[in-house]
Amino acid sequence: MALAELLASTPSEPGVPITSARESDRAHEEFRLITELAALVPGGCLRPGSTVGIGGGPGQTSLLLQLLAGPMEQGRWGGVIGLPELGAQAGVEQGVPLNHLALIPDPGDRWLDVTAALLDSVELVVLRLPRSGSTRARCRPSDARRLLARARQRHSVLILVDPHDWPEQPDLLFTPAAVRWYGIADGYGALRSQSLTVQVSGRRIGGRPRQAELLVGASEHLTDGIQRAG
Amino acid sequence: MRSAALWFAHWPITAAGLCLADPVVVVEGGVVTVCSPGAYQHGVRIGQRRREAKSHSPDLAVLATDPYRDAQAFEAIVTTLLVAVPRLEVSEPGLCTVPVAGPSRYYGGERELTTHLLNLWPESSGQTPRIGIADSRFGAYCAAQTARERTGEIVPTGRTQEFLAPFPISTLGIEELTTLSRRLGIHTLGQFAALPTRAVLSRFGSSAALSHALARGIDPTPLAIHQPTQELTLAVELDPPAERVDIATFTAKPLVGEFMELLTQRGLACTQLRVDLHTEHAEENTRQWRASPVFDSETILERIRWQLAGWLGSTDADVAMPSAGISLIRITADEVAGSADLQVSLWGEMSAADRRAVRGLDRVRGLLGSAGVFTVLLGGGRGPSDRVHYVPWGKPTPTIDPPMPWPGQIPAPSPAVLHSNPLPVDVFGAAGPVAVTARGDVTERPVRLELGNGKVHTITAWAGPWLTDEHWWEADSHRRFARFQLLTSDSNGSQQAHLCLVQRNSWLIEATYD
């Protein structure tokens, strides 16, 4: 069935939008980060068509959610590939709206096709390369460049979790540097809020990495307390 | 489902009481939208400007579009037809479908049924339906269009796809699909039907998958159309009863809004609708309506208005006019489909980005199957993973426990990582392993967490236990356990918080506050 193959191989979306310089500025604004993270990045926004890495370590998942929260609260769609253990409840608490979120927990060996399809259609695409046995899948440099070209063309952002497996250097690299928890003590209290120190490095940052501290889960706790007290 | 379609060609002209042999056109916005055979002979065509049409045929009668007139007049047809068959669905004034199975047995065959139905309207009545019978509603409709006037077109069972093959792709009436297919060299329904369903779904998205089913001569099942398990019905009482169509329609407006909300909450879309009208004198009028692909609030309101106009305003002697005002309007979803498939057509207010995302996720579903893409709903429950419900993309939303404060629930914030396979660990105090007594006390203060891989973390703070006694009324699923939050720090001083579960003195890391 030659026709079916033709269908499968044609680029999937007709009519790639051609944007003027001003429009691409506006597109920029669509990826505005939450205040604390915005202070770390030139312009305060993720750039459409760029790649962002999230380094490993305690606090990695919260950092990912914080990164998604800003743009997704403004209505951007998020697709998360290869993170079956992501806690949706934490996502909601950290400002990620579920009605714009799709999860592809286990793409298996179709991860490349799935990522390409999502970059076509969803603004924020989170990818962790799937594990096959004990080793992670590898991305060939040529495939990585094709995905990047797609992201640039469709104005989407590719967020790589554990980017050291990735053949290319991401444009921005966010790393959770330290985590401190508050509210819990020796046998009483409970986890209340988390201070997360984030480091950013990358091409757009210049020589020295920048650093900021996020307070995660604090505001809700405070308003909760105020409501109860009132 | 094997169906018969009855199609009254040029219905708006017949509805106005004019003869099709005369030159008549219906004009909307200055453009001809319906053209009688009489006018066609003079060179009038659909799409011509009014002035141009007039120039072809000087004595041309020009009618304005009037959906009420069309609906009102069609009520007489429906009344006549309901004498002969028990059930029918009106698609629009001028077109309705009848399930064939029962009636054809009753009349002794499909040929006999066709003849019987045709004889309901003698040639002198000026109304002559074209009747087509095929394996699907769409097939029957296409057959009706090609049927000769007094005989009907019966497509043998199992041959509908073959019958539809030569029709042009534009028959489906979706402009986007027509253009796109033509560019790919697909011109007929036959060529389109020959494509593998999976390829169509992943390339064109689910609305095209629906068209693909139509082209293959089957009623679209990929959408999981089904009878609702719960009665999806709402009614409004009119007090005082309304005797005018506009007043009754106006009263029904909030009802329709509520109805749409009810469907949306369940992630459903209505594909077949029943409208019941009652009067003060207990007279009833019931009609079933079918929309393509689904009803939105505007189309529901339009069907109600049509039905009201048909009943209250009919001038036909065959239609029994109600003797009192309308006192109750009830709408029921007879058939529903999961709405994720239909979201694009269902919610007009979807942004371009939303449409794009829906298309992309359809495509991923095409790649991985429906167990590959999920959206998330939050419900009630104690444990962090009890609250999360994964809904396969394109499936109707399940009913879940509401997200309310549950007793025994661990307070926010929630862990960002839920381990799909909880990690077994050992927790030690100064004297030995830590356990939880039957009364829910800790035997000892926990100080050390040992992971399976030999790593040891110091516990710097802890909270709990939160006790849970689940399903104590059932011996099999009864679970009793305690939850703890443990804050650890490793040799570098880096902190990490875990949610642990203790059951029968074995510890598991259920989730991590990552």
Side-chain angles (χ1 to χ4, degrees):
Chain A
M1 170 52 56
L3 199 52
E5 281 161 22
L6 178 73
L7 279 177
S9 64
T10 43
S12 87
E13 295 278 335
V16 174
I18 297 163
T19 46
S20 69
R22 183 173 293 169
E23 266 171 326
S24 69
D25 278 353
R26 208 179 311 132
H28 229 103
E29 209 40 50
E30 291 180 352
F31 292 97
R32 176 153 288 277
L33 295 166
I34 57 160
T35 322
E36 294 91 331
L37 289 175
L40 291 175
V41 178
C45 305
L46 299 179
R47 219 179 33 201
S50 67
T51 45
V52 175
I54 298 184
Q60 183 185 35
T61 313
S62 290
L63 177 54
L64 168 67
L65 294 172
Q66 293 289 313
L67 208 59
L68 292 175
M72 283 188 71
E73 270 181 338
Q74 297 166 66
R76 306 286 79 74
W77 278 76
V80 180
I81 306 166
L83 274 88
E85 70 285 0
L86 184 74
Q89 174 97 31
V92 174
E93 287 164 7
Q94 298 195 30
V96 174
L98 294 183
N99 57 356
H100 282 164
L101 181 72
L103 303 180
I104 295 93
D106 182 19
D109 50 8
R110 306 299 300 270
W111 64 268
L112 189 63
D113 297 331
V114 171
T115 310
L118 282 192
L119 283 172
D120 263 354
S121 52
V122 170
E123 291 107 328
L124 296 155
V125 179
V126 179
L127 170 67
R128 186 168 66 187
L129 291 175
R131 230 186 275 266
S132 52
S134 59
T135 54
R136 281 210 186 284
R138 290 234 153 257
C139 182
R140 283 183 309 195
S142 57
D143 288 334
R145 279 194 295 276
R146 265 175 46 213
L147 287 180
L148 276 190
R150 202 126 213 208
R152 266 197 290 276
Q153 197 184 22
R154 306 295 302 176
H155 296 270
S156 41
V157 177
L158 180 60
I159 299 174
L160 299 158
V161 177
D162 297 336
H164 48 83
D165 294 326
W166 197 253
E168 306 248 317
Q169 203 63 252
D171 296 317
L172 285 175
L173 177 63
F174 290 81
T175 318
V179 174
R180 280 206 68 79
W181 278 96
Y182 301 99
I184 189 169
D186 196 6
Y188 59 92
L191 296 170
R192 280 302 180 200
S193 59
Q194 171 188 196
S195 104
L196 178 62
T197 310
V198 181
Q199 229 170 49
V200 189
S201 58
R203 259 171 267 167
R204 290 176 64 203
I205 303 299
R208 278 178 56 195
R210 298 183 194 174
Q211 194 162 308
E213 197 177 305
L214 303 181
L215 212 51
V216 180
S219 61
E220 190 177 343
H221 162 55
L222 285 179
T223 51
D224 211 36
I226 290 163
Q227 272 166 6
R228 236 173 257 159
Chain B
M1 186 177 60
R2 201 144 170 87
S3 307
L6 278 81
W7 181 53
F8 293 79
H10 320 294
W11 177 252
I13 294 172
T14 316
L18 296 172
C19 179
L20 292 179
D22 296 334
V24 189
V25 291
V26 177
V27 169
E28 189 176 0
V31 174
V32 174
T33 54
V34 183
C35 163
S36 74
Y40 191 88
Q41 277 174 4
H42 287 96
V44 180
R45 296 289 180 273
I46 286 171
Q48 282 176 350
R49 311 283 313 168
R50 178 199 175 112
R51 188 185 295 268
E52 191 189 349
K54 268 275 195 203
S55 73
H56 287 292
S57 168
D59 51 352
L60 186 73
V62 179
L63 298 169
T65 315
D66 183 354
Y68 303 121
R69 181 185 59 212
D70 301 348
Q72 240 169 52
F74 202 64
E75 179 65 18
I77 301 282
V78 173
T79 313
T80 312
L81 199 53
L82 279 176
V83 175
V85 296
R87 210 158 73 80
L88 65 88
E89 293 158 4
V90 182
S91 301
E92 61 183 53
L95 176 67
C96 57
T97 51
V98 177
V100 161
S104 76
R105 250 199 317 277
Y106 180 80
Y107 290 106
E110 291 177 351
R111 172 65 49 205
E112 288 73 12
L113 170 68
T114 311
T115 317
H116 183 82
L117 293 180
L118 285 167
N119 287 341
L120 292 172
W121 294 276
E123 218 150 343
S124 57
S125 70
Q127 299 167 333
T128 41
R130 290 163 196 262
I131 298 182
I133 297 181
D135 291 340
S136 66
R137 291 190 190 87
F138 177 72
Y141 171 59
C142 290
Q145 283 185 315
T146 56
R148 265 171 298 148
E149 251 177 36
R150 304 296 316 171
T151 55
E153 172 85 49
I154 298 173
V155 181
T157 309
R159 306 276 292 275
T160 305
Q161 180 173 350
E162 208 176 303
F163 169 78
L164 288 171
F167 282 81
I169 193 112
S170 56
T171 318
L172 291 164
I174 301 168
E175 210 167 300
E176 206 185 346
L177 182 66
T178 309
T179 346
L180 203 55
S181 309
R182 284 206 179 127
R183 261 195 278 160
L184 293 164
I186 302 167
H187 296 278
T188 64
L189 293 185
Q191 289 171 317
F192 186 54
L195 299 174
T197 310
R198 233 181 151 78
V200 172
L201 184 68
S202 64
R203 178 61 182 80
F204 295 102
S206 45
S207 63
L210 179 114
S211 304
H212 189 245
L214 295 180
R216 286 165 60 215
I218 46 183
D219 287 312
T221 47
L223 285 169
I225 285 177
H226 53 92
Q227 253 93 52
T229 43
Q230 278 166 295
E231 183 95 315
L232 294 168
T233 182
L234 282 179
V236 61
E237 282 185 34
L238 283 69
D239 188 26
E243 295 188 2
R244 274 172 41 191
V245 176
D246 51 348
I247 295 172
T249 313
F250 185 76
T251 321
K253 221 169 179 175
L255 174 76
V256 173
E258 234 174 281
F259 183 71
M260 285 310 290
E261 204 159 297
L262 180 77
L263 291 172
T264 312
Q265 269 170 12
R266 285 162 207 221
L268 296 172
C270 177
T271 49
Q272 186 177 300
L273 177 80
R274 194 173 73 224
V275 180
D276 295 296
L277 306 174
H278 292 210
T279 69
E280 270 186 303
H281 295 170
E283 291 148 308
E284 280 183 41
N285 178 290
T286 299
R287 291 284 174 271
Q288 281 178 314
W289 300 93
R290 171 162 288 279
S292 137
V294 291
F295 282 107
D296 58 20
S297 47
E298 203 149 304
T299 41
I300 292 181
L301 206 58
E302 189 179 53
R303 301 308 132 109
I304 295 176
R305 198 185 291 141
W306 285 355
Q307 190 171 330
L308 283 163
W311 201 27
L312 294 177
S314 180
T315 46
D316 200 291
D318 293 342
V319 182
M321 285 251 294
S323 59
I326 304 287
S327 60
L328 182 119
I329 301 175
R330 181 187 300 122
I331 48 182
T332 309
D334 271 355
E335 207 180 76
V336 291
S339 72
D341 275 336
L342 303 160
Q343 272 162 0
V344 175
S345 48
L346 185 60
W347 292 304
E349 66 269 29
M350 275 187 106
S351 70
D354 292 351
R355 281 163 203 269
R356 210 174 96 174
V358 168
R359 255 214 303 250
L361 293 172
D362 280 343
R363 190 169 147 78
V364 175
R365 186 179 57 168
L367 288 167
L368 298 178
S370 69
V373 197
F374 298 90
T375 51
V376 192
L377 285 177
L378 287 184
R382 279 184 200 91
S385 42
D386 298 342
R387 282 178 246 167
V388 181
H389 298 265
Y390 296 98
V391 185
W393 179 254
K395 290 275 158 62
T397 316
T399 356
I400 52 170
D401 291 327
M404 283 189 284
W406 277 59
Q409 199 175 41
I410 315 288
S414 302
V417 168
L418 312 177
H419 301 288
S420 30
N421 298 312
L423 317 167
V425 290
D426 292 309
V427 174
F428 296 97
V434 178
V436 182
T437 65
R439 297 183 51 189
D441 296 324
V442 198
T443 53
E444 194 178 352
R445 191 179 143 219
V447 295
R448 211 166 77 241
L449 176 75
E450 289 192 16
L451 295 166
N453 56 11
K455 277 189 189 157
V456 180
H457 296 270
T458 314
I459 296 171
T460 52
W462 58 283
W466 284 272
L467 294 171
T468 304
D469 207 352
E470 265 179 6
H471 296 275
W472 46 265
W473 56 91
E474 278 172 288
D476 290 345
S477 52
H478 180 194
R479 290 211 310 163
R480 205 180 132 90
F481 51 83
R483 283 202 171 90
F484 286 86
Q485 287 178 338
L486 300 181
L487 184 67
T488 66
S489 79
D490 62 10
S491 45
N492 309 327
S494 174
Q495 284 193 339
Q496 187 143 37
H498 299 287
L499 182 66
C500 292
L501 194 143
V502 192
Q503 191 174 14
R504 293 199 199 92
N505 291 330
S506 53
W507 291 70
L508 294 169
I509 296 183
E510 190 186 15
T512 298
Y513 295 85
D514 188 38

